[in-house]
Amino acid sequence: MVALHTAGRALSRHLLRLSHRLVERGNVQIRPAQATDAAAVNELLEQLGYVQDGTATTATRIQTWDDDPSSATYVADADGNLLGLVAVHICPFFQLAGSSGRIMALVVSDHARGQGIGGQLVAVAESFAASRGCTRMEVTSADRRQAAHTFYRHRGYQDQTGTSSRFLRDLNHPTEAAH
């Protein structure tokens, strides 16, 4: 794998080492994602196993999220090299007063993990949520992503396994309910 550049080009080994030094020096800027980041965003999401439909589709998605005051997408940018992203969405509670923030996506490039970028991205997502009155944050993570579970626990997130369940239904292929 390689570090990611906003133009979607692979970086040489020299630039890859440079991106590590930028992280070590604190030269990573957390900023809102832009449509021009689409190619690098696709590469990041594909590292998680989410195959993307193309840069135009992702650019549209980024713009849609930017236009929605309840949503935000941030990237970790080291001099034009995207090293991570987080997407956060605000959902008002129905049964309680207030709202909850939900991390919809979080990924740090394979080559930049363990350097604090994920923590910075989560912090900006939490700040976005708190600024909109959220009293709780939540995130889901596949059972196989044990390192991610440890990451969230170290940030004070409580594992809800055994306490609550998540149910999904694909609306593109509806099935009849069992009688």
Side-chain angles (χ1 to χ4, degrees), residues 142-153:
D143 288 343
R144 70 182 181 280
R145 300 190 194 280
Q146 291 301 311
H149 301 180
T150 300
F151 170 85
Y152 290 120
R153 284 186 198 105

Side-chain angles (χ1 to χ4, degrees), residues 3 11-24:
L11 296 178
S12 69
R13 291 191 189 280
H14 167 73
L15 289 177
L16 182 58
R17 285 190 300 272
L18 175 62
S19 71
H20 284 285
R21 285 194 296 260
L22 290 170
V23 172
E24 290 168 6

Side-chain angles (χ1 to χ4, degrees), residues 23-155:
V23 172
E24 290 168 6
R25 291 184 193 150
N27 291 337
V28 175
Q29 175 190 14
I30 306 299
R31 63 166 175 81
Q34 302 167 355
T36 55
D37 296 326
V41 166
N42 281 353
E43 289 184 46
L44 285 166
L45 292 171
E46 287 174 3
Q47 286 187 16
L48 287 180
Y50 298 110
V51 178
Q52 300 301 296
D53 292 331
T55 56
T57 301
T58 301
T60 299
R61 190 179 314 127
I62 291 168
Q63 188 60 53
T64 299
W65 275 63
D66 188 47
D67 292 342
D68 181 354
S70 295
S71 300
T73 306
Y74 297 96
V75 294
D77 184 333
D79 289 341
N81 301 302
L82 295 193
L83 302 178
L85 76 90
V86 65
V88 59
H89 182 72
I90 308 305
C91 281
F93 293 123
F94 182 80
Q95 72 281 19
L96 305 167
S99 297
S100 176
R102 180 172 175 79
I103 295 174
M104 304 299 292
L106 174 66
V107 60
V108 173
S109 174
D110 290 339
H111 294 295
R113 291 185 184 152
Q115 299 180 49
I117 293 170
Q120 291 177 48
L121 289 165
V122 168
V124 77
E126 291 172 344
S127 179
F128 174 83
S131 73
R132 282 150 181 81
C134 290
T135 58
R136 178 181 297 158
M137 286 294 292
E138 66 177 69
V139 61
T140 57
S141 179
D143 288 343
R144 70 182 181 280
R145 300 190 194 280
Q146 291 301 311
H149 301 180
T150 300
F151 170 85
Y152 290 120
R153 284 186 198 105
H154 280 121
R155 279 150 190 80

